[in-house]
Amino acid sequence: MSKPRVFVARVIPDAGLRPILEACDATVWQDELPPPREELLRVVEGCDGILALLTDRIDGELLERAGSQLKVVSNFAVGYDNVDVPACTARGVAVGNTPGVLTETTADLAWALLMAAARRLPESERYVRDGHWRTWGPMTLLGPDIHGATIGIVGFGRIGQAVARRARGFGMKVIYQNRSEVDPALEAEFEATGMPLEELLPQADFVSIHVSLSAETKGLIDAEHLSWMKPTAILVNTSRGPVVDTDALVDALRRGVIAGAALDVTDPEPLPADHPLVGLDRCLVVPHIASASFATRNRMASMAAANLLAGVRGERLPNPVNPEIYG
Ligand code: DGY
């Protein structure tokens, strides 16, 4: 019997690649950059499965080109805003993602960003590197305290809760906003208080965003919401770039509406090196690395492979995004 044909949109860790290469007739995109659109449309033709990354747009046009034997799209990410899930569901194509395994690693990075922005680590590092360190300065590179401050968590799912758990270690007051009601036992565990954004933003010293990207959350943090924040506040985003209105953020940082921002995700992404956000001293930008620990990327690879292999065998995915296709 011939092996299922699959397209793997980038070289992923061995923990996932090896089982795929063993079980499938696999084409693996070798370049560091994603396949250009035309190339992607061409290589998926006749495939039974696609292992996609968040940089690969999986939409109706692509599904059409792939053909009716396509059974599964396995996304190498917990987020799947790059995939038109309803279009997949309409064709009976299973969609898989990698939930859970990157929760703690992402929360670690949110904290690294929060602390680096508060205590001005990038500026301090440049200060030393550029030869400005001539003495101990009583007024040099001051920033806000983290311990005892108030953190406002927007989106109190798994990652938001992992951020809250770390905040307790810093003796912080935890407030959160979530679109659905949160179990009172969880609130008690994290000593967290839920409230609408209108109340959270004016109170928080740090605002950390943990919502997924959807029609409702696109542009959620806009000029008006930024204007509700404290002028001393720092915004941290490890969710998806388009949740924050980029132009509004540039303007807010330039005019001192808020004190700083630390971003793992941006809109556009990647952010060009000459983008205003990159040039602002009080804005720290890193290239979407929240899940980039060795262990987590290995786990994501084996989960994405497990979804892909189950899908091409016609089995239920271990982590389906559209379980309704199973009736
Ligand atoms: C995800 O999984 O959605 C992250 O953004 C990338 O790891």
Side-chain angles (χ1 to χ4, degrees), residues 54 77-79 102 240 288 291 297 300:
L54 50 85
V78 63
L102 44 77
R240 284 292 184 262
H288 204 147
S291 66
R297 287 285 164 85
M300 288 168 69

Side-chain angles (χ1 to χ4, degrees), residues 195-212:
M195 57 187 69
L197 272 188
E198 297 89 300
E199 286 174 39
L200 179 146
L201 294 173
Q203 284 186 52
D205 299 301
F206 299 97
V207 173
S208 192
I209 304 175
H210 302 286
V211 293
S212 53

